[in-house]
Amino acid sequence: MSEEEEKEVARQYDELLEIYMRSAHRQKRERIDAAFALAREAHRDMRRRGGAVNGTCRVGGVPYILHPIAVARIVAEELGLGSTSIAAALLHDVIEHTDTTAERIRHRVDDKVAAIVEAVTRISGGVMTAENTRDSEEYRSLLLSMSSDIRVILVKMAERLHNMRTLGCINPEKQERIARETLFVYAPLAERLGLGRMKQQLEDLAFEALYPDEAEKIRHTLDRTAGIRERIVSDFMQPVEELLSDMGLTFEVKTRVKSAYSIFSKMRRKGIPLEEIFDIYALRIIFDAPPEKEVETCRRIFSLFSSIYEIHPDRVRDWTTVPKSNGYRAMHLTCLSPSGEWVEVQIRSRRMDDLAERGCAAHWQYKTDDNPAPELDDLMETIREVLSHPGPEGMDRLDSIRLGLRAREIYLFTHAGHLLRLPAGSTVADLARVTEPGRRCLGAKINHRLFGRSAQLESGDRVELITVENPAHK
C-alpha cells in the first residue's frame, strides 16, 4: 500500500472503532483489534478490483482490507451489533480468499468469531439463477436454515449491501448479475428479516443498475417537486400537530418519499402513471406509549385525522393487532390535503418503528410439507426483540439462539453450483441416489475434504460426489 492508502485504512478503522465505542455494547475492543490485525495480515497483498473510496472508483482498485472494514461498519452502525459480529465482518472473506483457516481464527480471536466466519464462507459463492423464483426462494431458505446463529445472516447481508454500494466500479455484465440476484434474493430476505432500511437501499441500488433511464426519470420528477411537497406537508401537518400536542402525546413527525424502485414497481404492477400513485408522499407519526397502550393510541390518532381530513376509503390499513407476516405493525391511512394532494400517513409507536426499521428475523416461518412450523415463530420473535434494542444483555442471549435446529430439510450445493434440497439427516449415499442413480458412490468431497458414503450432510455444504460406473446398470 502507498502511504496515502495506509492513512486511509487507518482513518476508516478508527471511525469503525469510534462507532463501536459510542455504542451500548461492552467495550471489547481487543476482540476487534485482534480480528483487524488478522484480516489485514491475510489480505496484505490483495487489492479489490473495482474498489471505491468515498464513492469514487479507483483505477487498479483499492486495498482489499477496506472492504471488510466497510462491512464491519454496516454491522456496527446500521445493524447495531457488537464486537463478535464486527470481528466476524472484518474476517468474513479470509477463509474463502486467503489461506487463513478457521483454526487460526480460533487461535488469534476466538471460537465464536471463527464459527460465524466459517458459516458465512459456506453460504458464499453459490451459482444463483436469479430469474428462477423457485431457486431464489430455496436460496433464501438455505441462508436461514444454516445451523448457526443469526449473526451469520446479518454479516452476509451487510456484505451484500457494501457490494451494491460499490457496484458502479465493476464491469456492466457483472453489475447486472449481482443487481438481479439482489432483487430476487437479498432484498426479499431483508424484508422477511424486518430490515426495512436495508431492503430499500438494496432495491434502489439494484434498480439504478438495472433500469438507469427509468430511475433517472423518477428521480428527476421527485427532485422537481420537492419544494411543492414540503409546502404540502407543512400545511397538512400544522393543525394535526397542535391537536396531537393537546392530547398530551410525546411524538415526532418524519417525512418520507416513496423509493424510486417502489414507485416503479407499483407503476408496472398496476399499469398506471406516476400521477396516479397516491402514496408518493408519506408522513410518519411516531409516538411514545407503553406496549399495552399502543393500539389504543394508534386509533385515537386515526380518529383525529378523520375529524380534520377526508380519508380515502380504500387506503386504510390496520396492522396494529394482526401484523404483517414479517412482524410489521402500524396503521396506514391516506388523506386529502388542503391543496388537493393525497398524503399517506403511517401511525406507529416508537417500538413499532424500531422493529420496522431495524428489527431482524421478524416472523420467518419455515414450511415443511406445506405445514407451518409455529414453534419457530417464538424463536424469531425473540431474535427480533433482541436486535431491535441491541445491547450487552441482548447480545448474550444470541449465543443460545440457533437457526435450523428444528428444520426438517437441508440445502446444499453440488460441485457445479446447483442448489438441492434434501431431508435433514441425508448422507452422501442419499445424495448419490438422487443425483446419480445409475452409478456407484465411493464417497465425496464435502467443502474440499474427503468423506465416506455415510457422512451426514448439512445446509450450505458444497458436495462433489466420487462415483464409478455401476456394472449392474449396464
Side-chain angles (χ1 to χ4, degrees):
M1 285 188 284
S2 67
E3 183 178 346
E4 178 189 2
E5 289 172 336
E6 291 277 7
K7 289 180 180 178
E8 181 63 24
V9 169
R11 184 187 68 79
Q12 292 198 24
Y13 181 63
D14 287 344
E15 288 182 359
L16 169 64
L17 287 176
E18 185 179 346
I19 291 165
Y20 170 69
M21 299 301 283
R22 287 200 310 262
S23 73
H25 295 285
R26 297 188 183 95
Q27 306 300 293
K28 293 188 176 180
R29 174 175 169 170
E30 65 278 3
R31 174 183 284 147
I32 299 173
D33 284 337
F36 176 65
L38 179 54
R40 181 164 181 155
E41 179 183 313
H43 294 304
R44 62 186 178 278
D45 297 324
M46 296 175 60
R47 299 187 74 80
R48 191 166 184 253
R49 288 179 294 176
V53 175
N54 298 325
T56 303
C57 300
R58 297 288 180 91
V59 177
V62 297
Y64 197 95
I65 188 64
L66 290 174
H67 168 61
I69 293 175
V71 174
R73 179 165 181 158
I74 292 170
V75 164
E77 189 170 34
E78 301 182 44
L79 295 177
L81 301 180
S83 61
T84 298
S85 302
I86 294 170
L90 287 168
L91 292 164
H92 77 272
D93 270 342
V94 298
I95 295 178
E96 184 176 4
H97 294 312
T98 78
D99 59 2
T100 303
T101 62
E103 186 56 41
R104 191 175 184 193
I105 297 174
R106 291 187 188 95
H107 176 70
R108 293 278 296 270
V109 188
D110 60 37
D111 291 346
K112 292 180 187 177
V113 173
I116 294 173
V117 175
E118 263 193 306
V120 170
T121 303
R122 288 170 61 204
I123 60 178
S124 296
V127 176
M128 267 302 303
T129 26
E131 291 78 5
N132 186 314
T133 55
R134 176 175 173 80
D135 282 357
S136 299
E137 180 63 30
E138 290 192 346
Y139 191 73
R140 289 193 289 268
S141 299
L142 160 72
L143 292 175
L144 287 172
S145 68
M146 299 292 293
S147 294
S148 182
D149 69 46
I150 188 66
R151 290 173 289 196
V152 174
I153 311 303
L154 297 177
V155 171
K156 185 68 181 174
M157 295 296 290
E159 178 196 28
R160 175 51 57 121
L161 180 55
H162 183 248
N163 286 340
M164 289 303 298
R165 287 174 176 173
T166 57
L167 193 64
C169 297
I170 62 178
N171 69 72
E173 183 179 342
K174 193 172 182 181
Q175 281 186 41
E176 181 175 353
R177 181 184 65 76
I178 293 173
R180 289 193 182 281
E181 186 178 85
T182 297
L183 277 184
F184 275 84
V185 178
Y186 288 94
L189 180 58
E191 181 176 25
R192 293 196 187 188
L193 292 172
L195 298 168
R197 293 176 188 169
M198 183 175 284
K199 169 188 175 285
Q200 182 171 324
Q201 288 184 67
L202 290 171
E203 285 182 341
D204 281 347
L205 290 166
F207 177 47
E208 290 178 10
L210 294 171
Y211 305 98
D213 293 341
E214 290 86 347
E216 176 58 31
K217 189 181 301 182
I218 292 173
R219 195 162 44 244
H220 175 72
T221 301
L222 295 177
D223 290 344
R224 180 169 49 81
T225 58
I228 299 172
R229 200 162 52 243
E230 289 174 6
R231 289 195 297 274
I232 290 171
V233 168
S234 178
D235 294 343
F236 179 80
M237 280 306 301
Q238 184 176 352
V240 176
E241 288 183 330
E242 292 175 2
L243 291 175
L244 287 172
S245 296
D246 291 343
M247 288 170 63
L249 288 177
T250 301
F251 68 94
E252 67 172 306
V253 179
K254 292 182 180 179
T255 59
R256 185 221 71 178
V257 179
K258 195 175 187 71
S259 74
Y261 179 71
S262 294
I263 293 172
F264 173 74
S265 296
K266 181 169 281 191
M267 290 168 60
R268 188 168 58 173
R269 187 172 65 251
K270 297 194 171 184
I272 57 176
L274 182 60
E275 294 72 26
E276 292 183 24
I277 297 180
F278 293 144
D279 56 352
I280 288 179
Y281 318 124
L283 295 171
R284 190 169 295 156
I285 311 297
I286 302 168
F287 61 87
D288 294 322
E292 65 273 12
K293 295 285 187 180
E294 289 176 336
V295 175
E296 175 192 337
T297 306
C298 281
R299 291 175 178 167
R300 287 174 62 201
I301 296 174
F302 173 85
S303 297
L304 184 154
F305 275 98
S306 63
S307 69
I308 302 175
Y309 296 119
E310 177 186 344
I311 295 178
H312 196 298
D314 298 327
R315 299 289 302 169
V316 176
R317 302 287 185 271
D318 186 354
W319 293 295
T320 55
T321 53
V322 180
K324 285 186 177 183
S325 61
N326 67 353
Y328 178 82
R329 295 178 66 213
M331 182 174 282
H332 290 197
L333 58 149
T334 301
C335 305
L336 190 63
S337 72
S339 60
E341 299 281 347
W342 289 103
V343 179
E344 183 183 88
V345 179
Q346 302 172 357
I347 305 170
R348 301 178 182 176
S349 70
R350 182 76 56 186
R351 188 172 72 101
M352 291 175 184
D353 188 63
D354 286 343
L355 292 175
E357 296 302 312
R358 298 208 304 140
C360 188
H363 202 75
W364 176 277
Q365 278 191 337
Y366 287 105
K367 292 194 175 185
T368 304
D369 299 327
D370 295 323
N371 294 318
E375 71 273 9
L376 198 62
D377 287 347
D378 295 336
L379 181 63
M380 294 298 103
E381 179 66 21
T382 301
I383 294 171
R384 185 180 66 188
E385 290 290 341
V386 168
L387 294 177
S388 65
H389 301 288
E393 293 76 20
M395 291 302 104
D396 284 346
R397 291 173 65 193
L398 285 181
D399 290 341
S400 63
I401 295 175
R402 309 281 291 181
L403 288 174
L405 295 183
R406 297 176 176 84
R408 298 175 193 171
E409 296 174 330
I410 60 171
Y411 299 82
L412 51 88
F413 291 106
T414 67
H415 178 59
H418 300 301
L419 185 61
L420 291 180
R421 178 173 56 181
L422 292 175
S426 292
T427 65
V428 169
D430 295 325
L431 174 62
R433 279 191 287 271
V434 171
T435 60
E436 299 190 37
R439 295 178 66 82
R440 181 184 172 201
C441 178
L442 303 179
K445 287 184 180 179
I446 305 175
N447 305 320
H448 308 294
R449 295 175 60 195
L450 284 172
F451 289 88
R453 299 175 72 256
S454 61
Q456 188 166 309
L457 302 171
E458 297 181 4
S459 273
D461 281 345
R462 291 183 143 64
V463 186
E464 179 182 359
L465 292 173
I466 302 171
T467 61
V468 294
E469 188 174 350
N470 192 338
H473 287 80
K474 280 190 174 181

